[in-house]
Amino acid sequence: MLHFLHDCGTAPATKTTEGHHFRRVALQRRILDAHGERPRLGPLYGRLMARAAELGLFRGERRTARRPPMDVSSGRGFVFVSHTGEVHPSGFLPVSAGNVRGRPLTEIYRDSALFTPLRDPSLLRGSCGACEFKAVCGGSRSRAYGFTGDVLESDPYCAYEPGSFPYRDELRSLTESTRCRPPGAPYGA
Ligand code: SF4
């Protein structure tokens, strides 16, 4: 599905919500493209591409610029404030770090015990913790919490096997150049 979104991402431009591994797919495709390689894709990809072509999504006049995946995640470039003032790392992550009626939003975002670890990929556990894409992907913290009760556990919906991508050095340099800030650096500080 994510490879399909990537390949039809110019007709129209696509974005994902809670689809953090789309950033992994975009990086993998960029490196594979440079090597003239294609990933191995299953029958769902073929069906989706055929249907998109039937709908005319790939006609030249409908092409737009590809939208790069945004480097934001729960508590990392994103904050959700409920109608009662509770501050959550995401609208999908029902854990509060405080209330704006008792503490400024900027303080909660920058310094709370819930938000600061979410910006440090070295604290991730399980597959996400072992993954070479964790600094740019990191998985859905909401799904990890929903399945395990731990915001730092693995994203259970990711099919990637850490360490299986072959072009490690290129990935490392691309990962460094595509990040907006060093791992763990607070936003707006
Ligand atoms: S294992 Fe985690 S960090 Fe790695 S690609 Fe999957 S969701 Fe992202």
Side-chain angles (χ1 to χ4, degrees):
M1 173 61 82
L2 294 177
H3 283 282
F4 164 73
L5 289 178
H6 178 271
D7 286 346
C8 76
T10 56
T14 54
K15 73 176 275 291
T16 58
T17 298
E18 289 296 309
H20 303 76
H21 18 297
F22 187 54
R23 294 199 286 267
R24 182 223 340 136
V25 166
L27 282 176
Q28 286 175 308
R29 294 297 298 274
R30 193 162 152 185
I31 295 170
L32 290 175
D33 281 354
H35 286 267
E37 293 178 29
R38 294 268 304 164
R40 267 179 302 172
L41 301 168
L44 174 63
Y45 174 86
R47 286 201 301 276
L48 290 170
M49 288 298 273
R51 182 69 181 132
E54 257 174 52
L55 294 171
L57 283 184
F58 300 122
R59 282 191 208 119
E61 70 272 17
R62 299 186 70 161
R63 294 271 176 189
T64 60
R66 190 188 297 283
R67 212 174 144 156
M70 290 176 72
D71 186 17
V72 297
S73 188
S74 304
R76 190 161 70 83
F78 189 88
V79 62
F80 177 86
V81 184
S82 79
H83 70 289
T84 57
E86 296 295 332
V87 180
H88 305 268
S90 153
F92 302 109
L93 214 175
V95 182
S96 174
N99 194 293
V100 291
R101 288 177 294 189
R103 197 178 174 199
L105 176 60
T106 47
E107 266 185 33
I108 296 172
Y109 179 80
R110 287 176 181 163
D111 304 326
S112 72
L114 176 60
F115 275 65
T116 48
L118 287 172
R119 293 191 287 268
D120 184 353
S122 72
L123 298 177
L124 292 173
R125 293 191 254 278
S127 297
C128 289
C131 183
E132 64 272 39
F133 290 93
K134 66 183 172 188
V136 287
C137 169
S140 166
R141 299 299 93 223
S142 305
R143 267 194 299 276
Y145 178 76
F147 274 76
T148 69
D150 181 347
V151 296
L152 296 174
E153 261 297 344
S154 278
D155 180 338
Y157 277 6
C158 179
Y160 182 68
E161 191 182 315
S164 61
F165 189 66
Y167 301 109
R168 287 254 180 156
D169 292 342
E170 285 156 78
L171 174 63
R172 200 172 298 115
S173 65
L174 201 53
T175 302
E176 289 304 313
S177 67
T178 52
R179 279 189 62 81
C180 306
R181 66 212 154 272
Y187 277 77

